[in-house]
């Protein structure tokens, strides 16, 4: 895409993602598209203390997250159809982006646990549904074991914490399909949590750091 780095380029990337175009459509092996949509998710909202405040942005958080989920599914499809030894899903599974997905889901899962305030942030349930869909698509990379395999206390902690969040989220979400996806994620985490999962660990640490810094 010749307009990479511009608003027009971002809009073009978003349109392509929404149309589920083939992964090969994206230039630079998909890195620029992934980075721009991931950055958009981060810029769409920010924390102020315990509150979330939406920034004045061209796109809504749910739109940005939907585009990211579409990119993830496109990468998975390319991996299935073109086994060239280079994982496209790994390109999308940026730890910074995955950490944002964890936060979006956790916001819905833990809603009501903080002190209620009139101007408190209302979690975006639609964005959370797209975030769960994206995490499901990225599971092949998130659950890829370190070689040689070894046990990791951090991976165990991450899996247990995320499974708790997903359990709470499943109670909150009204979408039957999303409940099923959340269950699938939990099952995969439980199945693979006995061995170090590098990408999951990096994503989890960023998410924890984000929450500890607010």
């Amino acid at each position: 895409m010749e307009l990479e780095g511009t608003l027009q380029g971002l809009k073009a990337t978003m349109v392509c993602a929404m149309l589920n175009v083939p992964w090969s459509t994206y230039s630079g092996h998909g890195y620029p598209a992934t980075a721009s949509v991931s950055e958009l998710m981060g810029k769409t909202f920010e924390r102020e203390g315990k509150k979330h405040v939406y920034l004045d942005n061209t796109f809504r958080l749910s739109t940005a997250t939907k585009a990211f989920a579409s990119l993830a599914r496109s990468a998975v499809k390319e991996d299935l159809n073109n086994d060239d030894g280079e994982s496209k899903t790994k390109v999308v599974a940026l730890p910074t982006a995955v950490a944002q997905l964890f936060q979006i889901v956790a916001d819905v899962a833990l809603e009501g646990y903080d002190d209620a305030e009139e101007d408190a942030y209302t979690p975006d349930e639609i964005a959370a549904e797209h975030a769960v869909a994206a995490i499901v698509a990225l599971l092949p990379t998130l659950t890829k074991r370190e070689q040689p395999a070894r046990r990791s206390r951090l991976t165990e902690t991450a899996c247990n914490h995320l499974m708790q969040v997903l359990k709470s989220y499943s109670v909150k979400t009204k979408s039957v399909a999303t409940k099923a996806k959340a269950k699938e994620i939990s099952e995969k985490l439980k199945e693979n949590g006995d061995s170090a999962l590098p990408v999951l660990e990096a994503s989890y640490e960023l998410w924890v750091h984000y929450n500890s810094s607010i």
Side-chain angles (χ1 to χ4, degrees):
M1 295 179 183
E2 298 181 358
L3 297 175
E4 286 171 3
T6 67
L7 179 58
Q8 290 80 8
L10 175 58
K11 288 181 177 179
T13 298
M14 296 287 284
V15 170
C16 288
M18 296 299 185
L19 293 176
N20 298 311
V21 301
W23 181 260
S24 58
T25 302
Y26 301 105
S27 62
H29 304 287
Y31 284 102
T34 299
S36 62
V37 177
S38 173
E39 183 179 10
L40 175 63
M41 284 199 301
K43 285 184 175 180
T44 305
F45 70 101
E46 68 177 1
R47 284 249 183 169
E48 292 183 0
K50 290 186 177 181
K51 304 175 186 176
H52 282 74
V53 179
Y54 279 110
L55 298 175
D56 182 16
N57 202 292
T58 306
F59 301 98
R60 295 175 60 87
L61 177 60
S62 56
T63 305
T65 313
K66 181 178 181 180
F68 190 85
S70 296
L71 279 174
R73 286 191 291 268
S74 178
V76 170
K77 187 175 181 179
E78 182 69 15
D79 282 340
L80 292 173
N81 296 333
N82 184 16
D83 185 12
D84 58 5
E86 298 183 3
S87 172
K88 313 305 183 297
T89 310
K90 187 175 181 179
V91 173
V92 184
L94 298 170
T96 51
V98 176
Q100 291 176 45
L101 299 177
F102 291 163
Q103 185 59 48
I104 291 168
V105 175
D107 281 341
V108 174
L110 304 179
E111 182 185 12
Y113 285 84
D114 291 332
D115 294 334
E117 298 181 24
E118 289 184 4
D119 57 349
Y121 164 78
T122 301
D124 190 328
E125 296 183 9
I126 301 300
E129 290 182 11
H130 293 312
V132 169
I135 295 171
V136 168
L138 298 177
L139 280 174
T141 294
L142 295 177
T143 58
K144 186 175 179 58
R145 302 185 178 208
E146 182 179 299
Q147 297 299 327
R150 64 177 178 82
R151 294 195 66 106
S152 168
R153 179 63 63 86
L154 179 56
T155 288
E156 292 176 1
T157 299
C159 288
N160 288 331
H161 189 182
L162 290 167
M163 285 190 289
Q164 290 176 1
V165 170
L166 289 165
K167 183 178 180 180
S168 297
Y169 174 76
S170 294
V171 174
K172 295 290 185 68
T173 183
K174 301 178 180 65
S175 169
V176 175
T178 304
K179 288 178 187 290
K181 289 185 177 71
K183 182 179 180 181
E184 180 181 351
I185 297 169
S186 292
E187 289 175 345
K188 289 294 184 181
L189 293 177
K190 184 176 182 179
E191 178 183 334
N192 294 281
D194 60 347
S195 183
L197 308 175
V199 178
L200 181 74
E201 287 186 358
S203 304
Y204 178 75
E205 284 192 300
L206 286 172
W207 176 46
V208 172
H209 175 72
Y210 169 76
N211 281 283
S212 65
S213 65
I214 61 175

